[in-house]
Amino acid sequence: MSDEYRPYTLVAELTYRCPLRCVYCSNPVDYARHTDGLDTADWLRVFREAEALGVVQLHLTGGEPVLREDLEALIEGARALDLYTNLITSGIPLSRERLASFRSLGLDNVQVSIQDVMAPSSDRIAGSRAFERKLEVARWVKELGFPLTLNVVLHRENLGHVEEIVALAEALSADRLELANTQYVAWALVNRRALLPTAAQLDRARRVSAAAQQRLRGTMEVLFVMPDYYSEFPKACMDGWGRRFIVVSPDGLALPCHAAHTLPGLHFDNVKHGPLETIWCESPAFNAFRGEAWMPEPCKSCERRTIDFGGCRCQAFYLTRNAAVTDPACVLSPDHGLIEAARQQALSASGGDFEYRAPRSTARK
């Protein structure tokens, strides 16, 4: 495998368990069928094998990773490998004492999610009363000397609050604010009618974000990620299929992205049954959409084919039932009408009821 496909980041999905029920959750809709199949030793071996492949950055995520009672051991193991380690958490449940122990063991960064700027709306999106505790956790992060990333997933119910979100991030002394518009797969696709914003909402939010970026340059990084549904061309999903990221699911599947295992016809290997290097280099599933050989027109002859790599394979499948077509988010796609129809529907939508992921036991393992 050439250096073109060297992995730099390992996304360790430690569990799908979570006390929250966010309506745009990227965990699979059938998450209840999945178990925490990897024990401490398994994860530490995966970390070692990832580092040997060239990985330098580790994201500990879920679900809610703090539900793993071995999280301390995993952080300590990552530190021994000199991996830059980021904890991606809702902050629920997390104590200040435990967060302090993560600091002493070498955790580098903490990313805390919030859903909105007021408790009623934030808790409605999360499906649980959590807003005030999240703010408390964010304050602990800074008090303990961590860099703080504040992540807010944007959609039609909070896009009008970007100015207030920026102000909250400033009040919390966040080092980085991620304003990431919803990616419509998994639970977000289930709730798309209630979540998809209008172009007018996006335009205003983008202008507010751009002003904040300019004003806060050198103080706080502000990142605004446009949704594919309103972009002329799709983004390169995970920087291209199997190019820079390895995702390992709670049950041990090695994946090029979070939702890849939901695509039919692809068999993904389990890290419990073979070394990560073999999977990364030789897996037919990892190689299925690498490079350009798989591409149909218009991707095959498009000058952007090495920029966006045809877009998101999962988005292509969930919109067309074919993972091997041009992402319909691209204006050149023969299926772009599916995106235009969704945007038109957003003009007449007025929000609506959400379908929440059912709660699961949060007992530690």
Side-chain angles (χ1 to χ4, degrees):
M1 188 64 58
S2 72
D3 191 58
E4 181 182 358
Y5 302 110
R6 172 195 163 184
Y8 285 94
T9 301
L10 172 65
V11 179
E13 293 186 306
L14 302 181
T15 182
Y16 286 143
R17 293 174 293 134
C18 186
L20 304 186
R21 304 163 60 200
C22 299
V23 295
Y24 47 72
C25 182
S26 63
N27 289 169
V29 174
D30 67 346
Y31 78 102
R33 294 178 51 245
H34 300 261
T35 61
D36 295 356
L38 302 185
D39 61 21
T40 309
D42 290 327
W43 276 116
L44 292 176
R45 175 179 56 80
V46 168
F47 294 174
R48 292 193 298 271
E49 292 178 355
E51 191 275 337
L53 269 174
V55 164
V56 295
Q57 181 168 273
L58 171 66
H59 295 314
L60 300 173
T61 184
E64 178 45 66
V66 303
L67 294 176
R68 293 277 306 215
E69 77 176 6
D70 62 352
L71 189 51
E72 286 82 352
L74 300 183
I75 292 169
E76 189 172 23
R79 177 76 283 143
L81 294 167
D82 202 26
L83 295 172
Y84 185 88
T85 304
N86 178 35
L87 176 65
I88 300 173
T89 179
S90 69
I92 313 295
L94 183 59
S95 68
R96 193 182 192 282
E97 293 72 25
R98 195 168 189 217
L99 187 60
S101 76
F102 297 162
R103 179 68 170 164
S104 66
L105 291 169
L107 182 66
D108 292 292
N109 189 80
V110 180
Q111 175 177 308
V112 178
S113 65
I114 64 168
Q115 282 64 45
D116 208 338
V117 291
M118 299 292 289
S121 55
S122 183
D123 294 345
R124 166 174 149 76
I125 296 297
S128 177
R129 292 184 61 183
F131 179 72
E132 297 298 339
R133 186 55 181 271
K134 285 170 172 281
L135 297 188
E136 186 176 29
V137 170
R139 295 185 186 103
W140 293 343
V141 170
K142 293 300 294 185
E143 289 169 6
L144 291 168
F146 286 106
L148 169 64
T149 297
L150 201 65
N151 175 267
V152 184
V153 177
L154 298 177
H155 45 80
R156 69 180 302 126
E157 292 211 356
N158 65 5
L159 261 172
H161 305 157
V162 169
E163 195 167 359
E164 293 86 351
I165 291 169
V166 172
L168 177 60
E170 288 184 85
L172 292 170
S173 300
D175 299 276
R176 177 181 170 92
L177 172 62
E178 294 182 354
L179 299 168
N181 275 277
T182 303
Q183 173 77 4
Y184 292 96
V185 296
W187 288 94
L189 184 58
V190 171
N191 288 299
R192 187 181 70 179
R193 185 178 182 89
L195 292 172
L196 189 66
T198 66
Q201 285 180 298
L202 273 167
D203 286 343
R204 181 183 183 279
R206 184 165 49 179
R207 289 195 301 272
V208 172
S209 174
Q213 288 172 339
Q214 182 67 29
R215 178 174 61 82
L216 295 169
R217 184 160 298 159
T219 302
M220 179 172 70
E221 182 181 4
V222 179
L223 178 67
F224 186 87
V225 182
M226 282 288 289
D228 285 349
Y229 277 51
Y230 287 95
S231 300
E232 185 178 6
F233 300 109
K235 293 182 285 294
C237 182
M238 304 294 282
D239 199 24
W241 181 280
R243 291 185 73 249
R244 293 289 179 260
F245 285 82
I246 304 174
V247 179
V248 177
S249 73
D251 34 12
L253 297 180
L255 307 164
C257 77
H258 301 77
H261 56 305
T262 64
L263 301 179
L266 295 177
H267 170 75
F268 289 97
D269 296 307
N270 197 298
V271 296
K272 292 192 290 186
H273 305 145
L276 197 58
E277 181 179 13
T278 301
I279 296 172
W280 175 260
C281 295
E282 301 177 13
S283 164
F286 264 88
N287 284 307
F289 299 112
R290 274 179 172 150
E292 302 173 28
W294 68 272
M295 290 183 177
E297 294 290 359
C299 295
K300 189 173 183 179
S301 57
C302 181
E303 61 183 14
R304 292 183 55 85
R305 65 186 181 277
T306 58
I307 299 172
D308 59 39
F309 305 100
C312 176
R313 298 301 88 222
C314 297
Q315 187 159 262
F317 172 74
Y318 282 109
L319 290 175
T320 71
R321 314 313 292 177
N322 184 355
V325 299
T326 301
D327 186 341
C330 180
V331 294
L332 302 176
S333 165
D335 301 302
H336 188 63
L338 296 169
I339 297 292
E340 293 175 332
R343 292 199 302 244
Q344 188 64 34
Q345 186 182 69
L347 288 173
S348 58
S350 56
D353 294 333
F354 292 124
E355 183 173 337
Y356 294 92
R357 54 177 267 172
R360 277 179 65 187
S361 168
T362 58
R364 289 185 182 178
K365 295 184 180 179

